[in-house]
Amino acid sequence: MSADLALAALRDLPMRQIGRVRTHLPNVGIALTCLGRYEEALRVHRLHLLWARVEGDRYQIANVLSHIAAVRVRLREHAQALRLLRSAMILYAETGHRYGEADARNVMGVAYRGVGRLAEARRQHELALELTGQSAERHAECTALNEFGLTLAADGDTDGALRAHQRALDLAVRIDNRYEQARALAGLAEHLLRADPTEARRYLERALTLIVPTGAPERFDIERRLAALKQGIPTR
């Protein structure tokens, strides 16, 4: 079911019946976030949060707090995201459930990067990768690797960033995650702009081909960088 169809179904559903579809709420919210439809994503996640609080399900509360934080990060509201994530971490620890913690720690790394606390950002990405390595969350591992690459680049560790993006690309190809393939290629291209602009252009073209069908808003940044590269305009 598409995000639009799922959202339409939720609008027509009486509140008393939300419990019947509660397991679908996180995925609908995440899909809307990936499509850049942040206000709609927040509405879905808040509905999930309402249900979790009524049920007293602290594990689900932790999950939904981390999902809302992921939207806040996309909106560049990093301080608010960090407050939500700290609350989520307390709940993860209290409940003993670790599923979802890898994503939460990775988002925390992005939020720390957003406020310039790069050492803490690196640590959170490393913890996220440790958790995904202990589980079968390969999609989460791809995401963590790409975000780790961006954090390493922000911290001046170009070689480390290249290794992280290459690992993300290899894994994303293996599990057919085209969104993370595109992000990895864009990350690699960023570090090839001066050394090999022709190869960087090829990477960006591949990234664009992969990401356009997903509808993800990152396509616009890739388009901008590719257009600038073709015109010989520095992108950083």
Side-chain angles (χ1 to χ4, degrees):
M1 180 183 290
S2 71
D4 283 321
L5 288 174
L7 197 58
L10 285 172
R11 289 194 188 105
D12 295 336
L13 194 67
M15 179 59 71
R16 67 180 180 276
Q17 295 184 24
I18 289 298
R20 292 168 49 192
V21 298
R22 64 187 183 277
T23 57
H24 301 293
L25 293 174
N27 289 335
V28 174
I30 291 168
L32 290 167
T33 300
C34 290
L35 291 170
R37 294 163 59 175
Y38 304 129
E39 290 306 316
E40 291 171 293
L42 285 172
R43 285 199 292 273
V44 172
H45 288 316
R46 286 169 182 149
L47 187 59
H48 185 202
L49 182 59
L50 174 62
W51 172 84
R53 283 177 170 162
V54 168
E55 293 294 311
D57 190 328
R58 291 184 300 158
Y59 170 61
Q60 289 299 327
I61 292 172
N63 270 346
V64 72
L65 289 176
S66 67
H67 293 151
I68 292 173
V71 181
R72 293 300 177 196
V73 161
R74 295 246 186 164
L75 293 169
R76 300 185 184 280
E77 298 170 356
H78 299 112
Q80 186 172 351
L82 284 168
R83 287 194 294 272
L84 291 165
L85 289 162
R86 289 181 188 120
S87 296
M89 291 305 168
I90 291 170
L91 291 170
Y92 280 129
E94 288 178 354
T95 61
H97 288 288
R98 306 300 297 274
Y99 186 78
E101 186 180 340
D103 280 333
R105 289 201 176 277
N106 185 53
V107 173
M108 185 174 277
V110 180
Y112 276 130
R113 183 175 75 225
V115 296
R117 295 165 63 175
L118 297 177
E120 290 161 290
R122 290 176 69 146
R123 180 57 182 154
Q124 291 303 321
H125 293 313
E126 288 165 353
L127 289 170
L129 288 167
E130 285 178 20
L131 288 167
T132 58
Q134 298 165 12
S135 69
E137 298 178 76
R138 298 287 78 85
H139 289 278
E141 184 177 1
C142 281
T143 302
L145 283 167
N146 272 326
E147 294 296 353
F148 191 31
L150 294 174
T151 294
L152 291 171
D155 206 21
D157 186 354
T158 300
D159 290 341
L162 284 168
R163 287 193 297 271
H165 286 307
Q166 187 62 58
R167 284 176 59 197
L169 178 60
D170 294 343
L171 180 55
V173 168
R174 194 159 71 244
I175 65 174
D176 195 29
N177 185 329
R178 299 187 180 188
Y179 171 72
E180 294 299 346
Q181 284 181 55
R183 295 185 69 227
L185 286 164
L188 290 168
E190 190 71 19
H191 303 295
L192 289 170
L193 287 172
R194 293 180 181 173
D196 192 343
T198 301
E199 187 70 1
R201 176 174 171 173
R202 282 198 290 268
Y203 277 26
L204 288 172
E205 288 170 342
R206 284 174 59 197
L208 191 59
T209 298
L210 288 163
I211 207 163
V212 164
T214 72
E218 286 89 344
R219 64 170 289 188
F220 300 113
D221 183 52
I222 294 173
E223 286 174 343
R224 178 189 62 79
R225 291 159 67 188
L226 185 56
L229 184 58
K230 289 177 178 178
Q231 296 172 31
I233 301 171
T235 61
R236 62 173 179 172

